[in-house]
Amino acid sequence: MPQTTASDRVHRLVASPAGRTHLVEQGTGPLVLLVHGFPESWYSWRRQLPALAAAGYRAVAVDVRGYGRSSRPAEVDAYRMLELVADNVAVVEALGERSAVIVGHDWGATIAATSALLRPDVFSAVGLLSVPYTPPGGPRPSEVFAAMGGPEEFYVSYFQEPGRAEAEIEPDVRGWLAGFYAALSADTMPPPGAPDPHFVGAGGTLRDRFPAGRLPAWLGEDELDVYAAEFERTGLTGALNRYRTMDRDWADLADVHGAPVTQPSLFVGGGLDASTTWLADAIEAYPTTLPGLTASHLLDGCGHWIQQERPELVNTLLTEWLAEVAPRR
């Protein structure tokens, strides 16, 4: 395999329905579009870009609208899932390609799955990291989240009111990010029985339950600086607006409620990640919801930030899967 380094990365801005989408590209070959989650950026794929490039792929990590150097529209409705799918299609077209494999983590997994669901003509295969596929539909999301936690408030509900979470985060963006990353990482998450950091106590904040004083092993001080610098510059409103459109998505996607994603697919989750334990039923439903699933993996002892916590293993799983679904030309 050819050796690649960070110096081989190319930063580009391309036109998209958002206005502009910033992307980082490395390698040549079949296109693999990498979509990050909350609160991250293209940088969360820094360890995958060189590995995919070395394996013979054109790896492209985007800043989702609202993040990094991509446009940040002011209207909450601008962060609807339909808009994010349109951005992904525009990136593929701007790169001169007709199709791509799409891989997403966290919110990016849901964005990737919906992109594959709505535009199978563009997205030939889909990889999902950390968040299982659940078909659109079911009860209205705001009602589901409001019913969770009893007297405590689920974080998704906490994020709904514009400005509320921002007021918690803005005074110390770097410290808040460090705590959020630590709360969901295998080596720093609260022990069993401790107050759950996904919930907010009465009159409290999310940060009240974050671990303090230690970064997870995957996150160096310099890497945290990169994340913090971006969010200190942009704020987190664009990122949080993704959560604020979930009921609108539910209505927008009414025509595909319950629909499976039929393209070849991959799932990789963390064994200690609440996303996989809470959504275990969704994983069990894959024969129906992901009939094209070619591989599913739960990584023992791994938390939520899967491609950063276990980069070598995730890279191996991705490249082996890509060799099956998108062989190099």
Side-chain angles (χ1 to χ4, degrees):
M1 291 184 178
Q3 295 299 308
T4 62
T5 66
S7 63
D8 297 321
R9 297 175 187 156
V10 176
H11 289 254
R12 297 177 61 178
L13 296 174
V14 301
S16 68
R20 68 174 181 275
T21 294
H22 170 244
L23 59 86
V24 180
E25 178 179 2
Q26 191 165 0
T28 59
L31 177 60
V32 181
L33 189 64
L34 304 170
V35 186
H36 66 80
F38 175 91
E40 301 176 281
S41 71
W42 75 267
Y43 189 68
S44 68
W45 301 105
R46 62 195 177 280
R47 296 186 176 96
Q48 282 66 56
L49 288 166
L52 296 184
Y57 294 93
R58 186 183 188 185
V60 173
V62 298
D63 279 336
V64 174
R65 68 164 66 190
Y67 289 83
R69 291 170 57 190
S70 293
S71 291
R72 300 187 302 280
E75 304 82 6
V76 172
D77 271 359
Y79 296 85
R80 295 155 56 200
M81 190 63 71
L82 293 179
E83 300 284 354
L84 303 180
V85 171
D87 287 344
N88 289 337
V89 172
V91 167
V92 174
E93 293 174 348
L95 294 173
E97 302 284 356
R98 293 185 176 180
S99 67
V101 174
I102 188 166
V103 178
H105 170 256
D106 182 76
W107 258 124
T110 305
I111 296 167
T114 311
S115 298
L117 177 64
L118 298 182
R119 294 302 304 269
D121 56 316
V122 177
F123 299 106
S124 59
V126 57
L128 309 177
L129 304 186
S130 297
V131 174
Y133 176 61
T134 56
R140 188 181 297 272
S142 60
E143 297 172 357
V144 174
F145 298 129
M148 296 177 66
E152 298 184 333
E153 186 177 18
F154 191 49
Y155 78 100
V156 177
S157 297
Y158 179 73
F159 285 166
Q160 292 304 304
E161 181 184 343
R164 185 183 179 196
E166 289 92 328
E168 171 187 342
I169 299 167
E170 282 297 326
D172 179 17
V173 172
R174 189 179 191 276
W176 192 90
L177 290 172
F180 192 82
Y181 296 145
L184 306 185
S185 295
D187 59 333
T188 48
M189 62 176 54
D196 191 332
H198 295 90
F199 292 87
V200 178
T205 65
L206 271 177
R207 187 170 183 166
D208 295 340
R209 298 182 176 184
F210 290 170
R214 185 162 70 99
L215 293 179
W218 61 266
L219 183 67
E221 296 282 354
D222 55 340
E223 294 170 311
L224 177 59
D225 285 342
V226 173
Y227 282 121
E230 284 291 78
F231 286 112
E232 287 167 354
R233 180 177 61 82
T234 66
L236 274 91
T237 295
L240 290 163
N241 280 345
R242 173 82 290 272
Y243 291 92
R244 296 166 181 160
T245 63
M246 296 179 74
D247 279 354
R248 180 62 183 269
D249 295 336
W250 179 81
D252 283 343
L253 299 173
D255 288 346
V256 290
H257 280 191
V261 170
T262 59
Q263 294 97 313
S265 56
L266 166 75
F267 176 73
V268 186
L272 298 179
D273 185 3
S275 297
T276 54
T277 55
W278 289 344
L279 295 173
D281 289 348
I283 295 173
E284 291 180 7
Y286 279 168
T288 299
T289 61
L290 289 178
L293 185 72
T294 61
S296 181
H297 307 272
L298 277 180
L299 308 186
D300 290 341
C302 187
H304 182 67
W305 317 105
I306 190 163
Q307 76 269 33
Q308 298 178 90
E309 291 188 51
R310 300 283 182 85
E312 292 82 9
L313 178 54
V314 169
N315 291 346
T316 296
L317 295 175
L318 283 175
T319 53
E320 289 177 351
W321 175 70
L322 287 167
E324 296 178 18
V325 302
R328 292 168 290 174
R329 293 189 286 266

